[in-house]
Amino acid sequence: QVRLMESGGDSVQAGGSLRLACVASGYSFSSSYYYYIGWFRQAPGTEREWVATIYPHTGREYYAASAEGRFVISRDNTNNTLYLQMNNLKPDDTGMYYCAVRGNSRDKPEDFRHWGQGTQVTVSS
């Protein structure tokens, strides 16, 4: 059974930073390297949107335009942990952040099989 546990969400002022973490159990980053792993977010009343993903087979990182230059996605294969370093946070970054694995595409939520429960990020101006 795959379980994903996110942490690191908090309330911060605009311009601040947060580091989110997602620990995976029942799923190996190093052996499932043909599937994307990544982060999505959802604000109240909106659809879940892609933030950043990694394709483990190549190590290539992909970012939504809103995240490019401010966020960095990384992974620790030894501990099956996925990270999202978020810098220069803006109020528009507010939302529930979800970790997802076993993705057949880099940016479509419906293509990811396993999801965590989410961690809340709130950015105030």
Side-chain angles (χ1 to χ4, degrees), residues 23-110:
V23 179
S25 59
Y27 187 91
S28 171
F29 290 175
S30 58
S31 61
S32 303
Y33 46 80
Y34 287 124
Y35 295 104
Y36 293 86
I37 56 176
W39 293 93
F40 293 77
R41 69 186 181 190
Q42 188 169 19
T46 69
E47 294 186 352
R48 193 166 297 187
E49 66 173 2
W50 169 59
V51 176
T53 43
I54 290 178
Y55 187 51
H57 179 59
T58 60
R60 185 168 177 179
E61 302 163 15
Y62 299 89
Y63 297 93
S66 59
E68 188 77 53
R70 298 188 299 126
F71 295 2
V72 177
I73 187 171
S74 62
R75 72 192 192 280
D76 179 346
N77 286 345
T78 301
N79 295 307
N80 278 332
T81 302
L82 185 67
Y83 299 99
L84 184 68
Q85 176 67 41
M86 305 188 295
N87 301 318
N88 191 22
L89 283 160
K90 304 176 181 179
D92 284 347
D93 294 319
T94 294
M96 187 70 77
Y97 282 69
Y98 298 92
C99 167
V101 300
R102 206 180 187 278
N104 290 311
S105 73
R106 70 185 190 199
D107 59 0
K108 293 180 176 60
E110 61 268 28

